[in-house]
Amino acid sequence: MEFGNFVVVKKKSNGLYGAIDDKGIEVIKCVYIMSEPLENNRLFQRSDFFYDKYDSSGKLLAEKISGLE
């Protein structure tokens, strides 16, 4: 699924989510168990069940937040 100039992907080798650019380079490391949209941003669920929030340029906006923020 598209996210800004990136594509959210599930890495085959570990089954975890992140985002890649058009050259296949990970701009958001594939270390997340789930990903979901949030307005113009995206939440990536961590293994501790908190979320990291990224904007569409791949910038980390917030770490270790609940999914309700």
Side-chain angles (χ1 to χ4, degrees):
M1 63 200 85
E2 290 187 20
F3 175 52
N5 293 325
F6 311 118
V7 177
V8 175
V9 295
K10 183 177 182 181
K11 195 171 192 176
K12 288 182 183 181
S13 63
N14 65 8
L16 299 175
Y17 291 86
I20 60 171
D21 65 12
D22 60 350
K23 295 179 177 126
I25 298 171
E26 286 184 24
V27 291
I28 299 173
K29 296 290 183 191
C30 292
V31 296
Y32 296 98
I33 60 174
M34 187 177 150
S35 175
E36 57 188 74
L38 177 68
E39 298 172 14
N40 295 325
N41 302 308
R42 192 150 195 101
L43 294 176
F44 287 84
Q45 188 176 18
R46 303 156 47 117
S47 61
D48 60 6
F49 300 103
F50 285 97
Y51 292 83
D52 289 344
K53 182 165 110 176
Y54 289 87
D55 70 11
S56 61
S57 71
K59 179 181 176 187
L60 179 62
L61 299 175
E63 293 181 84
K64 202 171 182 180
I65 60 174
S66 74
L68 302 175
E69 294 182 24

